[in-house]
Amino acid sequence: MSINIVKPELLAPAGNFEKLQAALIYGADAVYFGGKNFSLRAFGDNFTRDEILQAVEFTHERGKKIYAAVNIFAHNADLDALADYLKFLDSAGVDAVLVSDLGVLALAKETNLKIHISTQANVTNWRAAKFFHDLGAERIVLARELTCAEILDIKQNCAAELEIFVHGAMCISYSGRCWLSKFLTGRDANQGACTHSCRWKYNLVEEMRAGEFFPVGEDERGSYIMNSKDLCLLPYLDKVIQSGVASLKIEGRMKSVNYVAGVVKVYRAAIDSYFDGNFSVRDEWLNELDKIAHRPYTTGFFLSDGKPTEIYSTSKPSRASDFLGIVRDFDAKTMTATIEQRGKFEVNQRIEFFQPTGKTFSQIITSMRDEDGTEIFSAPHAQQIVKIPVVEPVEIWSLLRS
Ligand code: SF4
């Protein structure tokens, strides 16, 4: 069967309303979020019911789509509240729900909501994909643990829309099917409370020698034995698109506005360039992805090239730039930008403006005033409003970075 290639949707994480705004303004076609309950990011900000209504309105005003993650593995005690929540999502106008538990799927089928099967359901073959499609799922978010050839095979044998992760953190076990966090801390990954215990540094302790840590590891690099690199399929985006998937997903509901804006802008440009007929991997895209906090990148299982997907030397992500603020207003007459502060910055510091559509530019901060017009020399307070002169017109929602 030949593959029908359509321009895939770019789907971004919305950990809170501000991140949702950033994702859509920087070029996502759709966003996914979790409510206060029933989604696998219990420690994210997540959305109240009022915020969900606001988010649906903001998204639909822009002609884009919004999906709700309801991907916990439910227990009996959850069912009544889940049924009520799903009815609310339906009435709110959410475009689809992501589910992994068959009980939740059954409840979702009692509403008009479209159903996407979450990656937590670990669909790794076309029979499983077809089974969920026959059950009423419109889309399957495939397991991350698949090669490009396997994705193609699933596409050729199943009429459901397919979604794959193209960027972001990986689980070292089959996505979410892991008891490490629950075992070590009592916080259950399958209830949205993972502590990312796989990224901790481990030593060996002999029972009779409490406090004596024996290193675990094969060489001098150390012992982060389960710490996965981050997925980045940007260099292979042509192959990804040619596999016929309908949606390219960015991981990271817990990540910053800076991460969401940066990753979305890069993938937006890359997808558009493929369909404009001039895709090649550009240094500016790779540089941008390097600036954002990340672990070393990997292609994960996509290429099946056997390269290591773990980092043994550290569990800390690296980043080349700091997120300092968001442009809330721009006065073209006085060439002044109004910034909402997110990180400390000061006069004489070199900063850059990362814009939703325009080019990134850099300048020195020559002076600074607070909201009342008083001259100041630094902006140390969280969410402080600061005005600075700019050397170029700057778009509202641009990010100020070091
Ligand atoms: S501990 Fe690590 S592997 Fe396990 S669910 Fe959490 S992130 Fe995934």
Side-chain angles (χ1 to χ4, degrees):
M1 193 200 293
S2 67
I3 297 278
N4 181 25
I5 296 175
V6 288
K7 191 168 188 174
E9 162 191 275
L10 178 59
L11 175 57
N16 60 27
F17 187 58
E18 185 174 65
K19 293 174 196 174
L20 178 142
Q21 290 175 298
L24 296 172
I25 288 167
Y26 277 80
D29 300 305
V31 286
Y32 62 100
F33 73 95
K36 286 285 177 197
N37 298 303
F38 311 127
S39 101
L40 286 181
R41 281 293 174 267
F43 294 98
D45 292 344
N46 291 333
F47 287 66
T48 62
R49 290 193 177 201
D50 281 349
E51 286 167 339
I52 292 170
L53 293 171
Q54 197 186 5
V56 170
E57 189 182 350
F58 185 89
T59 307
H60 287 169
E61 274 171 6
R62 284 154 185 78
K64 304 194 175 189
K65 291 194 171 162
I66 179 164
Y67 311 135
V70 191
N71 52 353
I72 63 159
F73 288 93
H75 287 252
N76 295 330
D78 298 321
L79 294 177
D80 288 348
L82 262 166
D84 181 61
Y85 180 56
L86 289 164
K87 278 187 197 138
F88 164 74
L89 292 176
D90 189 9
S91 67
V94 164
D95 293 290
V97 279
L98 283 133
V99 306
S100 39
D101 179 87
L102 290 173
V104 182
L105 188 152
L107 284 173
K109 283 185 72 167
E110 292 173 6
T111 71
N112 297 310
L113 287 160
K114 290 183 176 156
I115 297 169
H116 295 179
I117 299 300
S118 164
T119 196
Q120 308 303 131
N122 307 115
V123 173
T124 53
N125 62 75
W126 68 263
R127 286 271 183 197
K130 191 169 177 313
F131 177 77
F132 278 119
H133 190 43
D134 292 345
L135 277 182
E138 179 171 286
R139 180 183 294 183
I140 318 293
V141 188
L142 294 177
R144 290 173 170 94
E145 296 80 7
L146 290 173
T147 64
C148 180
E150 287 175 309
I151 294 166
L152 258 171
D153 204 17
I154 293 172
K155 180 67 201 163
Q156 285 173 324
N157 286 287
C158 173
E161 290 180 358
L162 301 182
E163 178 178 310
I164 64 166
F165 280 90
V166 290
H167 197 94
M170 303 272 276
C171 251
I172 205 74
S173 71
Y174 259 95
S175 294
R177 296 222 164 181
C178 169
W179 288 95
L180 194 62
S181 174
K182 170 91 169 155
F183 180 70
L184 293 177
T185 69
R187 283 168 43 175
D188 186 351
N190 296 306
Q191 299 295 322
C194 177
T195 54
H196 305 279
S197 316
C198 57
R199 303 197 183 281
W200 296 354
K201 183 174 186 182
Y202 289 93
N203 284 281
L204 185 69
V205 178
E206 196 273 329
E207 197 173 296
M208 303 302 290
R209 292 172 175 75
E212 282 187 50
F213 298 109
F214 298 96
V216 181
E218 292 186 9
D219 56 31
E220 72 286 351
R221 290 178 300 182
S223 53
Y224 300 89
I225 50 179
M226 296 177 280
N227 183 25
S228 175
K229 294 178 179 174
D230 287 350
L231 181 67
C232 175
L233 293 185
L234 182 84
Y236 302 93
L237 203 75
D238 47 352
K239 272 190 161 59
V240 169
I241 290 169
Q242 286 154 18
S243 68
V245 293
S247 180
L248 310 186
K249 186 173 208 163
I250 296 165
E251 180 277 344
R253 276 191 280 146
M254 308 277 280
K255 305 258 177 76
S256 70
V257 171
N258 187 32
Y259 167 92
V260 172
V263 177
V264 165
K265 190 176 178 186
V266 167
Y267 278 85
R268 172 79 282 144
I271 295 168
D272 290 349
S273 79
Y274 179 88
F275 286 91
D276 290 344
N278 57 11
F279 176 77
S280 64
V281 183
R282 299 185 194 159
D283 285 347
E284 65 190 86
W285 298 339
L286 297 175
N287 291 341
E288 182 50 42
L289 293 180
D290 259 348
K291 281 184 187 170
I292 298 161
H294 69 284
R295 298 179 181 84
Y297 288 129
T298 173
T299 54
F301 295 78
F302 190 73
L303 297 181
S304 58
D305 57 5
K307 289 196 178 146
T309 57
E310 296 84 36
I311 327 144
Y312 300 111
S313 52
T314 178
S315 67
K316 291 201 175 65
S318 68
R319 69 163 177 260
S321 77
D322 283 323
F323 172 38
L324 305 176
I326 302 174
V327 174
R328 293 302 188 196
D329 199 12
F330 168 64
D331 183 339
K333 262 195 217 146
T334 59
M335 290 295 283
T336 303
T338 302
I339 316 283
E340 186 180 312
Q341 187 265 21
R342 291 306 161 83
K344 190 182 171 204
F345 54 92
E346 56 197 18
V347 172
N348 291 330
Q349 183 175 344
R350 177 161 288 282
I351 43 105
E352 69 173 24
F353 288 97
F354 181 70
Q355 310 196 74
T357 59
K359 275 187 97 74
T360 301
F361 68 91
S362 133
Q363 67 165 74
I364 302 278
I365 301 176
T366 52
S367 65
M368 207 188 276
R369 293 189 180 274
D370 68 12
E371 225 172 342
D372 303 325
T374 306
E375 187 165 22
I376 53 175
F377 297 94
S378 72
H381 306 304
Q383 299 195 297
Q384 187 176 359
I385 299 294
V386 177
K387 292 175 189 286
I388 62 172
V390 286
V391 296
E392 293 185 30
V394 62
E395 296 169 38
I396 292 172
W397 262 100
S398 295
L399 304 187
L400 183 74
R401 309 193 301 198
S402 61

mmCIF file of all heavy atoms in Angstrom, residues 170-173 176 178 180-181 189 194 196-198, ligand 1:
data_model
loop_
_atom_site.group_PDB
_atom_site.id
_atom_site.type_symbol
_atom_site.label_atom_id
_atom_site.label_comp_id
_atom_site.label_asym_id
_atom_site.label_seq_id
_atom_site.Cartn_x
_atom_site.Cartn_y
_atom_site.Cartn_z
ATOM 1 N N MET A 170 12.854 11.097 27.310
ATOM 2 C CA MET A 170 12.446 9.701 27.114
ATOM 3 C C MET A 170 12.340 9.021 28.480
ATOM 4 O O MET A 170 12.989 9.405 29.443
ATOM 5 C CB MET A 170 13.515 8.951 26.326
ATOM 6 C CG MET A 170 13.867 9.539 24.991
ATOM 7 S SD MET A 170 12.824 8.921 23.692
ATOM 8 C CE MET A 170 13.677 7.392 23.290
ATOM 9 N N CYS A 171 11.562 7.968 28.527
ATOM 10 C CA CYS A 171 11.538 7.066 29.678
ATOM 11 C C CYS A 171 12.558 5.963 29.408
ATOM 12 O O CYS A 171 12.690 5.523 28.276
ATOM 13 C CB CYS A 171 10.180 6.391 29.758
ATOM 14 S SG CYS A 171 9.129 6.904 31.096
ATOM 15 N N ILE A 172 13.224 5.497 30.435
ATOM 16 C CA ILE A 172 14.165 4.408 30.203
ATOM 17 C C ILE A 172 13.429 3.068 30.164
ATOM 18 O O ILE A 172 13.908 2.091 29.623
ATOM 19 C CB ILE A 172 15.292 4.405 31.264
ATOM 20 C CG1 ILE A 172 16.546 3.737 30.706
ATOM 21 C CG2 ILE A 172 14.870 3.737 32.549
ATOM 22 C CD1 ILE A 172 17.286 4.575 29.729
ATOM 23 N N SER A 173 12.235 3.027 30.736
ATOM 24 C CA SER A 173 11.415 1.812 30.602
ATOM 25 C C SER A 173 10.382 2.093 29.518
ATOM 26 O O SER A 173 10.320 3.188 28.990
ATOM 27 C CB SER A 173 10.708 1.497 31.907
ATOM 28 O OG SER A 173 9.705 2.440 32.137
ATOM 29 N N GLY A 176 6.335 4.974 30.873
ATOM 30 C CA GLY A 176 5.447 4.994 32.028
ATOM 31 C C GLY A 176 5.233 3.653 32.702
ATOM 32 O O GLY A 176 4.824 3.603 33.851
ATOM 33 N N CYS A 178 6.501 1.565 34.618
ATOM 34 C CA CYS A 178 7.703 1.524 35.419
ATOM 35 C C CYS A 178 7.306 1.701 36.872
ATOM 36 O O CYS A 178 6.516 2.580 37.199
ATOM 37 C CB CYS A 178 8.604 2.665 34.951
ATOM 38 S SG CYS A 178 9.990 2.980 36.011
ATOM 39 N N LEU A 180 9.753 1.983 39.269
ATOM 40 C CA LEU A 180 10.935 2.447 39.981
ATOM 41 C C LEU A 180 10.592 3.583 40.950
ATOM 42 O O LEU A 180 10.954 3.547 42.130
ATOM 43 C CB LEU A 180 11.963 2.925 38.951
ATOM 44 C CG LEU A 180 13.371 3.148 39.434
ATOM 45 C CD1 LEU A 180 13.976 1.861 39.946
ATOM 46 C CD2 LEU A 180 14.222 3.705 38.288
ATOM 47 N N SER A 181 9.900 4.581 40.469
ATOM 48 C CA SER A 181 9.549 5.727 41.292
ATOM 49 C C SER A 181 8.636 5.308 42.447
ATOM 50 O O SER A 181 8.839 5.701 43.593
ATOM 51 C CB SER A 181 8.864 6.786 40.409
ATOM 52 O OG SER A 181 8.394 7.838 41.181
ATOM 53 N N ALA A 189 4.405 6.455 38.840
ATOM 54 C CA ALA A 189 4.443 6.992 37.474
ATOM 55 C C ALA A 189 3.121 6.757 36.758
ATOM 56 O O ALA A 189 2.704 7.560 35.922
ATOM 57 C CB ALA A 189 5.575 6.338 36.697
ATOM 58 N N CYS A 194 5.528 10.477 38.751
ATOM 59 C CA CYS A 194 6.900 9.976 38.628
ATOM 60 C C CYS A 194 7.924 10.976 39.170
ATOM 61 O O CYS A 194 7.850 12.178 38.904
ATOM 62 C CB CYS A 194 7.196 9.699 37.155
ATOM 63 S SG CYS A 194 8.867 9.164 36.919
ATOM 64 N N HIS A 196 11.119 10.611 38.435
ATOM 65 C CA HIS A 196 12.254 10.453 37.502
ATOM 66 C C HIS A 196 13.431 9.784 38.198
ATOM 67 O O HIS A 196 14.581 10.193 38.021
ATOM 68 C CB HIS A 196 12.636 11.797 36.886
ATOM 69 C CG HIS A 196 11.481 12.468 36.211
ATOM 70 N ND1 HIS A 196 11.080 12.137 34.939
ATOM 71 C CD2 HIS A 196 10.598 13.387 36.656
ATOM 72 C CE1 HIS A 196 10.002 12.843 34.627
ATOM 73 N NE2 HIS A 196 9.690 13.599 35.654
ATOM 74 N N SER A 197 13.123 8.770 38.941
ATOM 75 C CA SER A 197 14.168 8.056 39.693
ATOM 76 C C SER A 197 15.202 7.429 38.766
ATOM 77 O O SER A 197 16.329 7.156 39.188
ATOM 78 C CB SER A 197 13.533 6.956 40.537
ATOM 79 O OG SER A 197 12.381 7.431 41.169
ATOM 80 N N CYS A 198 14.849 7.208 37.519
ATOM 81 C CA CYS A 198 15.810 6.629 36.576
ATOM 82 C C CYS A 198 16.983 7.566 36.329
ATOM 83 O O CYS A 198 18.018 7.145 35.841
ATOM 84 C CB CYS A 198 15.118 6.286 35.259
ATOM 85 S SG CYS A 198 14.315 7.712 34.499
HETATM 86 S S1 SF4 B 1 11.333 6.617 36.717
HETATM 87 FE FE1 SF4 B 1 12.144 7.098 34.675
HETATM 88 S S2 SF4 B 1 11.677 5.264 33.431
HETATM 89 FE FE2 SF4 B 1 10.374 5.180 35.261
HETATM 90 S S3 SF4 B 1 8.432 6.166 34.600
HETATM 91 FE FE3 SF4 B 1 9.722 7.759 35.575
HETATM 92 S S4 SF4 B 1 10.816 8.726 33.831
HETATM 93 FE FE4 SF4 B 1 10.015 6.723 33.105
#
